Every structure is written in structure tokens, then in C-alpha cells.
Amino acid sequence: IVSWDEGEDGGGGEMKLGQPNRQQVGEAGVHYVISELALRGLIALPTSRNSKGPDIIVCNPEGTKFAAIQVKTRRGREKFWNVGDRGVSWGGPDCYYVFVRIFNGIFEAYLERAAEVKRFAKADIEDILKRGKKCWGASWGFIGDREREARTHRQWEEFNL
């Protein structure tokens, strides 16, 4: 977010960066994923904001392979993302999640098949309920699991259709 500060006397001025809200952070993640896919020679298009379906539809230039992508974005170095109720229900064989974190202006991305996110999210909810805690929704991540972190980052780096 950029704002213009005209200074104390109303003349001159300088640009100042503001803090993006949650929706803007999410949009930044979607556009980051789209730009990276385009640089891989894929055609990637965003869907309508806040639609029930995926955030991105992507295909190869020949139009013979397609995938649906749900993007989850967060700021900071945390290693988990809330996937909500969709995390236990969304996705088919050509559906993926891309988890993006933005830290100091650097984007990091991790890719996982929707079926694996679904399995993880269900187990997460079961674990929370088993411990007698209130469940606020499913999450996915790699807290304490460096192998999953490395594997999903590599899957993002290698993703193509």
C-alpha cells in the first residue's frame, strides 16, 4: 500500500508504505503464484475473488493439461496456514494448494496436493478434539517437520504441467 504524505507545509512530499490488510496479503499471494507460473510457460488465470472454487486455474499452452490451485498466504515466518472447512473437503486429483509466506518482502512458496492437505487437516482436527480443545478450523503446515518443508518447497519449484 502506498500513500502520499504532502509534508507539514503541504508542499513537496514523499511516498510512504502502509500495512496491507489480510485480503491484500491474500491477493499478493495469488498474483505471486500466477506470475511464477507464467514464467514457467504456463497459462494461469485468477478466478473471481472469494468464489467457492479455486483461486487459480492453470493450463499448459496446448490446453491439454489443467490444474486448480488454492492459494493460502500469510506474512511472517510462521510455518502453518489455516485452511478452514475447505481443507477437509476441497479438491480432486488435479487440485493443489500453494502456501505462500511473505517475510521482509521475500516470497516463499510450498505446494501440496489437495488430497494430502485434506488428510493432514482431518488428522489435525481429530488431534485437537481428542485433546479436548475447541477447534477453530483445520490447518496445514510443517512445524517441526523439516522434511515436509523441504519436500513441498521442492514440489513448488518443480511444478509444471
Side-chain angles (χ1 to χ4, degrees), residues 4-54:
W4 187 259
D5 180 7
E6 293 189 11
E8 292 178 27
D9 61 358
E14 63 183 84
M15 282 196 315
K16 293 192 172 194
L17 294 176
Q19 291 297 317
N21 63 36
R22 230 168 113 187
Q23 185 177 12
Q24 291 165 324
V25 169
E27 289 175 15
V30 168
H31 288 284
Y32 168 75
V33 171
I34 289 170
S35 67
E36 287 293 313
L37 294 172
L39 290 172
R40 297 172 193 190
L42 298 172
I43 300 165
L45 301 169
T47 61
S48 297
R49 280 189 4 206
N50 298 323
S51 65
K52 285 191 170 195

Side-chain angles (χ1 to χ4, degrees), residues 82-157:
N82 294 324
V83 293
D85 295 338
R86 293 179 82 190
V88 294
S89 62
W90 181 79
D94 295 318
C95 295
Y96 300 86
Y97 278 85
V98 176
F99 298 95
V100 177
R101 43 180 198 193
I102 307 169
F103 184 70
N104 287 338
I106 298 170
F107 288 71
E108 295 177 343
Y110 306 85
L111 180 124
E112 187 68 277
R113 288 189 170 275
E116 181 60 21
V117 172
K118 198 181 299 188
R119 186 196 64 72
F120 186 95
K122 284 180 181 177
D124 181 52
I125 290 173
E126 288 172 8
D127 181 56
I128 290 168
L129 296 175
K130 194 183 299 180
R131 291 184 285 140
K133 304 273 185 180
K134 183 169 174 77
C135 185
W136 297 100
S139 65
W140 179 92
F142 41 76
I143 296 171
D145 191 341
R146 289 183 171 218
E147 187 280 324
R148 181 185 292 125
E149 181 176 6
R151 178 181 55 79
T152 56
H153 184 66
R154 186 174 57 255
Q155 285 173 181
W156 166 246
E157 294 293 319

